């Protein structure tokens, strides 16, 4: 039977550790604070942000909410970012994407203080990730790939010498996980596949590990997977279920692949909870660094 890489269970354990770290900080007069900047009324974004604040409450992190109407100007958002950069009660924050189309998202994200970059995606922090081939990075790291590595490590899955095929070149994981997996001490060999890759399926069939983050429900089929592979499903697609007359969440890896795998992440319940807990970890770590 394949090993189920249970991100939900592991994230609960990590939250307990975070609760203890937050208590230690509070004892020294410091309360970590996570801020969210939400522009507009996108239902998915609002739900995502609400989940972040529930997570904060669970471990004792203070919540700071900043909400602006969709017709706000870019300068309005920049002013909020400047305020959070200067606010000592905010040890980390995120600007929820997508932003309204009239805004320059990259310029707004660039304005974030890199030390308070809870997502770990500020250009400075990404640059640190590129520079440190030894993996000794002391700046916030991207939450999703950090969560994947933490999950694999918890289940004793070694990546040294393994062939890893990553599907998707998005900044959230596709373009960053290769840097983390190929760092010294991890030592995987990573192939990044995308829409311009010739014969993606051949790359998948050779891989010891497939990290699927292309956003196409069921893209990875059993014929794409070699026996004993490790399957990491990062994709999230909402697919209409005719029988139940509602949308259901599907990953990029067809569940039929699990029978061939050595280990796999369920979706939902695998990578998602790990992403959320690693964001909390970035916030708490930032508070610890500021205190040191």
């Amino acid at each position: 039977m394949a090993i189920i890489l249970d991100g939900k269970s592991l994230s609960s354990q990590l939250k307990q550790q975070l609760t203890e770290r937050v208590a230690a900080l509070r004892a020294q007069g410091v309360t970590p604070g996570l801020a969210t900047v939400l522009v507009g009324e996108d239902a998915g974004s609002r739900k995502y942000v609400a989940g972040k604040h529930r997570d904060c409450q669970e471990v004792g992190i203070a919540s700071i909410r900043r909400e602006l109407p969709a017709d706000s100007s870019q300068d309005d958002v920049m002013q909020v970012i400047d305020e959070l950069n200067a606010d000592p009660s905010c040890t980390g924050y995120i600007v929820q994407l997508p932003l309204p189309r009239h805004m320059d998202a990259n310029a707004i994200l660039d304005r974030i203080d890199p030390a308070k970059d809870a997502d770990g995606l500020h250009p400075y922090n990404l640059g640190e990730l590129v520079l440190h081939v030894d993996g000794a990075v002391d700046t916030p790291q991207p939450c999703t790939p950090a969560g994947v590595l933490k999950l694999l490590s918890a289940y004793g899955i070694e990546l040294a010498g393994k062939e890893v095929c990553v599907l998707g070149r998005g900044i959230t994981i596709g373009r960053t996980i290769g840097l983390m997996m190929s760092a010294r001490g991890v030592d995987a060999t990573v192939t990044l596949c995308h829409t311009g890759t010739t014969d993606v399926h051949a790359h998948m069939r050779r891989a010891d590990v497939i990290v699927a983050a292309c956003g196409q429900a069921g893209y990875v089929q059993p014929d794409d997977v070699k026996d004993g592979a490790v399957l990491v499903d990062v994709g999230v697609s909402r697919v209409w279920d005719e029988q139940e007359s509602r949308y259901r969440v599907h990953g990029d890896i067809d569940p039929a692949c699990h029978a061939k795998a050595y280990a796999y992440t369920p979706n939902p319940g695998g990578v998602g909870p790990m992403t959320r807990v690693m964001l909390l970890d970035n916030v708490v770590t930032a508070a610890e660094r500021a205190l040191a």
Side-chain angles (χ1 to χ4, degrees):
M1 294 291 290
I3 298 170
I4 300 174
L5 305 175
D6 188 347
K8 187 174 181 180
S9 174
L10 179 58
S11 69
S12 294
Q13 297 173 38
L14 295 174
K15 282 181 179 178
Q16 180 57 46
Q17 296 174 18
L18 284 167
T19 301
E20 295 169 2
R21 290 166 62 190
V22 169
L25 284 166
R26 284 178 176 268
Q28 299 176 77
V30 175
T31 300
L34 171 68
T36 57
V37 180
L38 178 64
V39 184
E41 297 293 334
D42 179 81
S45 293
R46 187 165 290 278
K47 181 178 180 181
Y48 183 83
V49 165
K52 293 287 180 258
H53 290 287
R54 285 195 300 271
D55 290 339
C56 287
Q57 185 176 20
E58 190 174 342
V59 302
I61 295 173
S63 289
I64 303 168
R65 296 175 184 253
R66 296 297 183 91
E67 299 184 3
L68 296 89
D71 60 356
S72 299
S73 69
Q74 181 150 321
D75 285 343
D76 292 333
V77 179
M78 292 292 200
Q79 181 178 343
V80 169
I81 290 175
D82 290 343
E83 291 170 358
L84 292 174
N85 286 342
D87 184 354
S89 70
C90 170
T91 54
Y93 68 97
I94 64 169
V95 176
Q96 180 61 32
L97 302 177
L99 289 165
R101 291 185 178 181
H102 66 276
M103 294 183 181
D104 183 343
N106 286 338
I108 288 172
L109 296 178
D110 284 350
R111 192 76 162 248
I112 295 172
D113 178 351
K116 294 187 176 187
D117 171 28
D119 276 330
L121 296 176
H122 187 279
Y124 176 83
N125 294 329
L126 293 177
E128 286 291 293
L129 199 60
V130 172
L131 286 172
H132 292 277
V133 180
D134 59 2
V137 180
D138 61 1
T139 51
Q141 297 195 24
C143 299
T144 301
V148 168
L149 287 170
K150 180 78 76 173
L151 184 58
L152 294 176
S153 176
Y155 281 86
I157 295 175
E158 293 288 338
L159 294 173
K162 299 294 179 64
E163 295 278 347
V164 180
C165 177
V166 178
L167 306 177
R169 52 185 165 186
I171 193 65
T172 302
I173 182 168
R175 298 180 72 85
T176 50
I177 195 167
L179 295 168
M180 299 172 74
M181 283 188 163
S182 60
R184 290 195 185 99
V186 184
D187 297 320
T189 298
V190 183
T191 301
L192 174 59
C193 296
H194 45 75
T195 52
T197 301
T198 301
D199 200 353
V200 174
H201 301 279
H203 288 287
M204 286 193 281
R205 286 192 289 269
R206 289 194 298 268
D208 302 303
V209 181
I210 296 175
V211 179
C214 57
Q216 298 184 48
Y219 180 78
V220 182
Q221 292 291 310
D223 287 346
D224 299 318
V225 177
K226 76 176 185 180
D227 290 337
V230 175
L231 306 177
V232 179
D233 194 348
V234 189
V236 177
S237 299
R238 296 175 70 246
V239 178
W240 182 255
D241 188 317
E242 293 288 352
Q243 293 184 336
E244 298 189 16
S245 298
R246 67 184 182 94
Y247 284 100
R248 295 180 62 88
V249 173
H250 286 255
D252 290 349
I253 299 176
D254 191 305
C257 299
H258 297 166
K260 299 181 71 175
Y262 170 74
Y264 68 89
T265 62
N267 193 338
V271 176
M274 294 302 300
T275 297
R276 290 169 61 178
V277 78
M278 295 313 293
L279 185 141
L280 299 181
D281 185 84
N282 277 343
V283 173
V284 175
T285 299
E288 291 169 338
R289 285 178 180 143
L291 189 61

